[in-house]
Amino acid sequence: MRFDLITLFPEMFAAVRDQGVCGRAHQRGLWALHTWNPRDFTHDVHRTVDDRPFGGGPGMVMMAEPLAQAVQAVRAARQQVGADAVGQEAPVVLLSPVGQTHHQALASRWAGGAGAILVCGRYEGIDQRFIDRYVDLEVSLGDFVLSGGELGAMVLIDSVVRLLPGVLHDAESAQQDSFNPALTGLLDSPHYTRPEVWDGVTTPETLLSGHHVRIAAWRRQQSLTLTAARRPDLIEQARRTGGLSPRDEAVLKDASLLTDSSDRTESAQ
Ligand code: 9D3
């Protein structure tokens, strides 16, 4: 898998290239990262990549031409090394606050592909004509404002690379993650490690029992009640997609009897 980043801040990508799980996978050759600076595709003495917006308004707009030349250079480079299967050119993806929100199922889909050309914007935006001509897909991280696309691109890369075969150890297995289909989209249960008693607080007895069936049941129950409390939308989704067993439903009913309505309504009055 290969990611080509078109960015005014290539140094930022050392974070995913050199550190942690993604850094180790990069070192092992499981994925590659190449950066391309639009400034290197300018032809004026000031290496201008932005200009004032037509129609007025605050801030500056990234010019189409340096970005277009960067995309063309990337396409040529990818072709030269056979990074993409024939007829399966990597998509040009713009990180953008008006894009589709990224999520785990999309990360899984990306993990089955050959990578992408990721365009990172800065300033107020990018000339729309570049987007219309070159961009296949716009991806957002969510409803908050970033200073540019670089952090978005790194989040996307991290979410995809950790799903590649051989990237995670067994111990780090993606199978256990929150949002993983194996957990049917529930949040993960709490974790504990040594010492058994820390600062006077004990570890839940079940986790020390060595009884794997009881431990699995405890974790499932914790996942269900945590998800019901924090993310009821994920409970609904699991229910709709057949991810909740009759036992799960019983656990949720018990939990709602313990926490629901009458006692709380009273204290709220
Ligand atoms: C006042 C209009 N702003 C839109 C909210 C302009 C603007 C803000 C921030 C234009 C670009 C940006 C830079 N943001 C990104 O490049 C970005 C982003 C984001 O801001 N939020 C969530 N996901 C992403 S992905 C890229």
Side-chain angles (χ1 to χ4, degrees):
M1 173 165 295
R2 167 171 168 156
F3 288 104
D4 289 278
L5 280 304
I6 297 177
T7 171
L8 292 169
F9 298 99
E11 300 83 3
M12 288 180 72
F13 291 89
V16 282
R17 193 193 53 224
D18 300 339
Q19 304 291 327
V21 163
C22 291
R24 191 178 68 212
H26 181 265
Q27 207 162 16
R28 293 167 58 208
L30 297 176
W31 68 289
L33 183 144
H34 296 265
T35 59
W36 307 77
N37 193 331
R39 280 197 202 287
D40 296 334
F41 299 89
T42 57
H43 304 285
D44 66 313
V45 65
H46 301 292
R47 315 222 301 157
T48 311
V49 293
D50 62 325
D51 208 334
R52 291 153 61 202
F54 283 134
M60 300 292 271
V61 175
M62 288 183 85
M63 299 163 76
E65 186 60 20
L67 293 171
Q69 290 199 20
V71 169
Q72 283 166 16
V74 174
R75 287 226 170 103
R78 289 185 73 108
Q79 203 145 47
Q80 198 147 42
V81 301
D84 307 316
V86 275
Q88 293 209 321
E89 281 208 317
V92 175
V93 179
L94 175 65
L95 282 301
S96 159
V98 305
Q100 299 280 314
T101 309
H102 188 56
H103 56 82
Q104 188 65 21
L106 291 176
S108 296
R109 215 179 301 166
W110 281 65
I117 302 168
L118 302 178
V119 181
C120 305
R122 283 274 154 173
Y123 315 118
E124 276 304 297
I126 294 182
D127 191 309
Q128 188 61 35
R129 293 167 295 185
F130 167 79
I131 299 173
D132 294 343
R133 175 72 62 84
Y134 285 97
V135 171
D136 298 307
L137 180 69
E138 295 182 68
V139 174
S140 165
L141 286 201
D143 294 337
F144 45 85
V145 182
L146 298 174
S147 308
E150 285 80 5
L151 284 170
M154 284 191 269
V155 168
L156 193 145
I157 291 169
D158 185 274
S159 73
V160 173
V161 165
R162 61 193 302 288
L163 297 178
L164 296 177
V167 167
L168 294 184
H169 299 136
D170 241 18
E172 303 167 329
S173 173
Q175 292 308 310
Q176 299 261 334
D177 280 2
S178 293
F179 309 109
N180 189 286
L183 260 174
T184 54
L186 303 180
L187 302 179
D188 199 4
S189 56
H191 301 275
Y192 296 83
T193 188
R194 293 193 296 174
E196 283 183 19
V197 181
W198 173 78
D199 201 19
V201 188
T202 58
T203 298
E205 184 192 301
T206 306
L207 296 179
L208 308 172
S209 69
H211 195 301
H212 298 299
V213 176
R214 274 171 50 200
I215 291 169
W218 181 88
R219 287 184 171 149
R220 183 70 182 177
Q221 180 238 320
Q222 291 287 313
S223 278
L224 287 161
T225 54
L226 180 69
T227 309
R230 304 272 179 91
R231 294 290 305 276
D233 59 309
L234 296 180
I235 294 285
E236 265 318 304
Q237 192 180 315
R239 198 171 269 141
R240 278 200 310 275
T241 56
L244 298 186
S245 68
R247 265 187 74 179
D248 291 337
E249 295 289 5
V251 166
L252 287 170
K253 196 167 165 210
D254 276 1
S256 78
L257 288 177
L258 286 172
T259 58
D260 245 22
S261 61
S262 54
D263 45 343
R264 233 199 347 254
T265 338
E266 226 175 311
S267 58
Q269 280 167 354

